[in-house]
């Protein structure tokens, strides 16, 4: 039987950290081809191509400096060349680039390939809704697409600190294949069949992380931040309940849910830049450029995507935290107004009988 070949589509901070895991597992597991291709959006670093640097020094010096990638990870600047022979395509690029990159792959990949999206975010759908990134991949490339989401700050994963992750996949045959490709003693995989909810958790928690960052920037303290996190979680649950009915509440207790929400609200880039947004008064775009050295924020764009949908459906007031965060990001209201927006949150008003309801 021929071996399974893997391509990682993306090589940013998370793409490079996951390449460390996938490279080692592909090499050690007999069912996989040793060679794993990694699509690299080419750029010049001090006069040298990033792909050449990665293939000679085995380090992504720009997006994951200080960590060696396994030597079987091969950086390829042409996405079609990287992906054309792969049986498993791991998508891990900032979500705003998926449509453009996906378009280049149409008709150029194996029809039997399977996809796995590690991308956190949405796209705007026709008619004012949102579209899940995994669904965009399936629609355009005609392949099934599972998801992997979790409390997985890339630098900590690269340092091999213990964490958990959630793989959302419906096909029972695919589940062990994907789990084995990612699982390590320090990266524990739990598989869920609640695929949409797993993916939506990953996208929405980035919005809440911006709120946590605003709270930090305002110096409001840990109780306020905990309230923002809790109300954020409640809006995440409500969002899934309203727009993706039939999902399971238990999914929010997996790594993709509450754990990712916590880690991002304390240690993520969205939090960090949002704190600086309050403290410096600079725009999100300026801060992303200044503070992240080419890495990208997903929270403010996701907040805009969600707001577009809520506005179209006249439901902004049902999600006051998501709405306030978006309005702060685009300068419509001041960060200090966030707390006013959530003071009378539906979570405080809905319990007329004295009991909170879920
Ligand atoms: N960094 C992290 O800790 C984690 C990130 N994620 C998610 O993974 C996804 C990818 O994130 P990262 O790997 O951290 O990326 P990143 O934030 O490091 O973004 C930089 C990457 O985007 C690429 N890029 C820039 N312009 C591009 C273009 N026009 N077309 C294609 N690529 C372009 C750069 O070459 C670089 O590889 C995001 O959705 C993120 O939310 C998920 C878990 C952890
Ligand atoms: O998704 C993440 C951790 O799981 C990373 O969050 P940030 O993009 O805010 O750094």
């Amino acid at each position: 039987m021929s071996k399974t070949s893997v391509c990682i589509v993306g090589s940013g901070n998370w793409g490079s950290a996951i390449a460390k895991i996938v490279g080692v597992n592909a090499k050690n597991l007999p069912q996989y081809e040793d060679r794993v291709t990694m699509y690299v959006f080419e750029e010049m670093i001090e006069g040298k191509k990033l792909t050449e640097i990665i293939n000679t020094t085995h380090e992504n010096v720009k997006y994951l400096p200080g960590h060696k990638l396994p030597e079987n990870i091969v950086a390829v600047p042409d996405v079609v060349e990287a992906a054309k022979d792969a049986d498993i395509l791991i998508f891990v690029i900032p979500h705003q680039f998926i449509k453009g990159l996906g378009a280049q792959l149409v008709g150029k990949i194996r029809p039997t390939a399977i996809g796995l999206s590690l991308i956190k975010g949405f796209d705007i759908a026709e008619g004012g809704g949102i579209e899940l990134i995994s669904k965009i991949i399936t629609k355009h490339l005609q392949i099934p697409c599972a998801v992997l989401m979790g409390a997985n700050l890339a630098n900590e994963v690269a340092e091999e600190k213990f964490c958990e992750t959630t793989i959302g996949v419906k096909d029972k045959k695919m589940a062990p294949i994907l789990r084995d490709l990612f699982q390590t003693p320090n990266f524990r995989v739990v598989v869920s069949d609640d695929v949409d909810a797993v993916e939506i958790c990953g996208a929405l928690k980035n919005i809440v992380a911006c709120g946590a960052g605003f709270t930090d920037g305002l110096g409001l303290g840990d109780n306020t931040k905990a309230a923002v996190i809790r109300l954020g979680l409640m809006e995440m649950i409500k969002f899934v309940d309203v727009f993706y009915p039939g999902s399971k509440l238990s999914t929010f207790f997996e790594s993709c849910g509450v754990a990712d929400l916590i880690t991002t609200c304390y240690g993520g880039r969205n939090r960090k830049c949002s704190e600086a947004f309050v403290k410096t008064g600079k725009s999100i775009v300026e801060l992303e450029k200044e503070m992240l050295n080419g890495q990208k924020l997903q929270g403010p764009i996701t907040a805009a995507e969600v707001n577009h949908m809520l506005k179209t459906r006249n439901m902004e007031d049902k999600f006051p935290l998501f709405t306030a965060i978006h309005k702060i990001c685009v300068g419509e209201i001041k960060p200090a107004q966030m707390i006013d927006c959530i003071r009378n949150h539906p979570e405080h008003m809905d319990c007329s009988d004295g009991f909170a309801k879920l």
Side-chain angles (χ1 to χ4, degrees), residues 2 34 45 70 91 100 108 111 121 157 160-161 196 224 290 302 305 308 327-328 348:
S2 66
D34 281 5
I45 314 274
F91 293 92
K108 304 279 171 49
V157 174
E160 298 176 25
K161 291 177 173 161
D196 289 352
T224 310
E290 271 178 34
T302 308
E305 289 151 0
H308 175 76
K327 288 186 173 169
I328 293 167
H348 305 148

Side-chain angles (χ1 to χ4, degrees), residues 105-210:
L105 291 175
V106 174
K108 304 279 171 49
I109 57 168
R110 286 191 171 165
T112 51
I114 59 176
L116 179 74
S117 173
L118 276 58
I119 300 171
K120 293 174 178 173
F122 302 122
D123 193 29
I124 289 185
E126 276 166 33
I130 50 149
E131 202 159 9
L132 305 189
I133 301 294
S134 64
K135 301 282 189 282
I136 293 175
I137 291 169
T138 293
K139 189 166 81 184
H140 290 275
L141 301 182
Q142 304 283 305
I143 58 170
C145 188
V147 300
L148 181 151
M149 306 278 145
N152 303 142
L153 294 169
N155 295 329
E156 294 182 16
V157 174
E159 286 161 24
E160 298 176 25
K161 291 177 173 161
F162 178 88
C163 68
E164 301 178 298
T165 201
T166 314
I167 289 184
V169 57
K170 284 247 189 285
D171 182 342
K172 289 199 166 34
K173 283 199 305 293
M174 268 166 75
I177 296 171
L178 294 174
R179 183 200 57 212
D180 293 351
L181 184 58
F182 287 89
Q183 182 130 274
T184 77
N186 286 321
F187 194 71
R188 306 308 292 166
V189 175
V190 174
V191 176
S192 162
D193 62 2
D194 198 14
V195 186
D196 289 352
V198 170
E199 181 168 0
I200 296 164
C201 278
L204 292 180
K205 63 87 194 173
N206 282 333
I207 304 178
V208 185
C210 294

Side-chain angles (χ1 to χ4, degrees), residues 26-91:
K27 179 117 184 114
N28 291 341
L29 295 169
Q31 64 271 37
Y32 290 103
E33 289 280 356
D34 281 5
R35 183 176 185 271
V36 173
T37 54
M38 179 170 77
Y39 161 65
V40 175
F41 183 75
E42 191 68 283
E43 59 189 290
M44 301 301 285
I45 314 274
E46 291 174 5
K48 279 195 178 151
K49 289 180 175 167
L50 182 56
T51 46
E52 281 174 18
I53 298 174
I54 294 174
N55 287 335
T56 50
T57 67
H58 306 290
E59 183 181 343
N60 188 339
V61 290
K62 177 152 182 195
Y63 295 105
L64 191 67
H67 293 280
K68 286 283 175 204
L69 301 179
E71 295 195 5
N72 55 322
I73 295 287
V74 180
V76 180
D78 178 336
V79 70
V80 173
E81 197 50 41
K84 69 182 188 342
D85 296 324
D87 300 300
I88 298 180
L89 289 160
I90 300 165
F91 293 92

Side-chain angles (χ1 to χ4, degrees), residues 82-104:
K84 69 182 188 342
D85 296 324
D87 300 300
I88 298 180
L89 289 160
I90 300 165
F91 293 92
V92 56
I93 54 168
H95 80 275
Q96 56 269 41
F97 304 129
I98 187 63
K99 270 196 165 158
L101 207 69
Q104 296 179 51

Side-chain angles (χ1 to χ4, degrees), residues 95-96 122 207 288 297-306 326 329:
H95 80 275
Q96 56 269 41
F122 302 122
I207 304 178
E288 182 180 64
L297 292 174
Q298 304 284 265
I301 315 177
T302 308
E305 289 151 0
V306 165
H326 167 67
C329 288

Side-chain angles (χ1 to χ4, degrees), residues 110-357:
R110 286 191 171 165
T112 51
I114 59 176
L116 179 74
S117 173
L118 276 58
I119 300 171
K120 293 174 178 173
F122 302 122
D123 193 29
I124 289 185
E126 276 166 33
I130 50 149
E131 202 159 9
L132 305 189
I133 301 294
S134 64
K135 301 282 189 282
I136 293 175
I137 291 169
T138 293
K139 189 166 81 184
H140 290 275
L141 301 182
Q142 304 283 305
I143 58 170
C145 188
V147 300
L148 181 151
M149 306 278 145
N152 303 142
L153 294 169
N155 295 329
E156 294 182 16
V157 174
E159 286 161 24
E160 298 176 25
K161 291 177 173 161
F162 178 88
C163 68
E164 301 178 298
T165 201
T166 314
I167 289 184
V169 57
K170 284 247 189 285
D171 182 342
K172 289 199 166 34
K173 283 199 305 293
M174 268 166 75
I177 296 171
L178 294 174
R179 183 200 57 212
D180 293 351
L181 184 58
F182 287 89
Q183 182 130 274
T184 77
N186 286 321
F187 194 71
R188 306 308 292 166
V189 175
V190 174
V191 176
S192 162
D193 62 2
D194 198 14
V195 186
D196 289 352
V198 170
E199 181 168 0
I200 296 164
C201 278
L204 292 180
K205 63 87 194 173
N206 282 333
I207 304 178
V208 185
C210 294
F214 297 146
T215 315
D216 287 341
L218 292 163
L220 285 170
D222 290 334
N223 293 341
T224 310
K225 185 159 155 176
V228 166
I229 294 172
R230 185 190 91 83
L231 292 172
L233 179 62
M234 297 310 276
E235 291 195 13
M236 287 167 61
I237 293 171
K238 187 173 193 160
F239 188 92
V240 170
D241 195 37
V242 171
F243 299 115
Y244 292 82
S247 303
K248 299 176 198 163
L249 184 59
S250 60
T251 302
F252 293 88
F253 306 118
E254 298 294 346
S255 182
C256 63
V258 70
D260 198 8
L261 182 61
I262 293 169
T263 204
T264 312
C265 287
Y266 282 86
R269 301 166 294 188
N270 286 290
R271 188 219 68 83
K272 185 167 93 170
C273 291
S274 300
E275 179 184 33
F277 177 83
V278 177
K279 287 185 166 165
T280 64
K282 293 181 183 175
S283 73
I284 296 280
V285 174
E286 272 177 287
L287 291 165
E288 182 180 64
K289 271 210 183 84
E290 271 178 34
M291 298 175 72
L292 297 185
N293 190 32
Q295 294 181 36
K296 302 288 177 197
L297 292 174
Q298 304 284 265
I301 315 177
T302 308
E305 289 151 0
V306 165
N307 186 259
H308 175 76
M309 168 150 156
L310 296 177
K311 219 180 202 158
T312 313
R313 287 166 170 62
N314 209 12
M315 290 180 78
E316 280 180 296
D317 60 331
K318 303 276 187 287
F319 296 86
L321 182 66
F322 290 170
T323 301
I325 291 167
H326 167 67
K327 288 186 173 169
I328 293 167
C329 288
V330 296
E332 264 178 52
I333 63 172
K334 298 256 174 279
Q337 288 172 267
M338 181 171 74
I339 303 304
D340 294 329
C341 295
I342 60 172
R343 208 178 293 284
N344 295 317
H345 196 281
E347 283 303 316
H348 305 148
M349 315 305 275
D350 276 355
C351 43
S352 48
D353 56 2
F355 291 96
K357 52 178 189 215

